[in-house]
């Protein structure tokens, strides 16, 4: 699936739906998903917990995974994250 966000196109390899889950579950699930991904692959995360607006960018920064974009749409928080290169 190819996604275009702010005029930037990138391929999404994985989807992670954490809707209805609360801290720390969305970040724990993201951590497990990224562990199983190949370097350079992109995961699209959908969440409903507002704390992900703080937690997911911190996770990406701490582990050096590029947060390609994030936005809020229809009371959901959406993140596009690329697994860092080894």
């Amino acid at each position: 699936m190819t996604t275009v966000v702010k005029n930037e196109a990138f391929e999404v390899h994985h989807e992670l739906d954490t809707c209805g889950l609360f801290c720390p579950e969305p970040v724990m699930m993201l951590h497990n998903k990224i562990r199983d991904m190949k370097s350079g692959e992109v995961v699209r995360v959908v969440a409903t917990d507002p704390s992900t607006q703080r937690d997911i960018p911190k996770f990406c920064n701490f582990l050096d995974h590029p947060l390609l974009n994030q936005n809020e749409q229809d009371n959901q928080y959406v993140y596009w994250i690329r697994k860092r290169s080894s």
Side-chain angles (χ1 to χ4, degrees):
M1 158 194 287
T2 300
T3 299
V4 177
V5 178
K6 290 186 181 176
N7 298 324
E8 178 183 356
F10 47 85
E11 186 175 357
V12 174
H13 303 91
H14 303 274
E15 294 275 340
L16 181 61
D17 183 355
T18 66
C19 293
L21 302 177
F22 296 97
C23 181
E25 291 178 288
V27 172
M28 291 172 55
M29 289 179 68
L30 174 59
H31 187 71
N32 290 337
K33 174 59 84 177
I34 284 192
R35 187 180 311 143
D36 295 337
M37 292 168 47
K38 295 177 184 173
S39 293
E41 288 185 334
V42 173
V43 59
R44 178 179 176 264
V45 181
V46 181
T48 51
D49 183 0
S51 68
T52 60
Q53 294 177 95
R54 173 197 67 230
D55 296 341
I56 289 181
K58 283 186 176 184
F59 168 85
C60 292
N61 187 49
F62 184 73
L63 294 176
D64 203 26
H65 298 298
L67 177 58
L68 302 174
N69 203 336
Q70 70 183 76
N71 66 37
E72 181 181 351
Q73 50 187 270
D74 302 324
N75 296 318
Q76 293 182 331
Y77 306 96
V78 184
Y79 307 89
W80 290 265
I81 302 155
R82 185 181 312 279
K83 182 173 181 173
R84 68 183 162 102
S85 299
S86 299

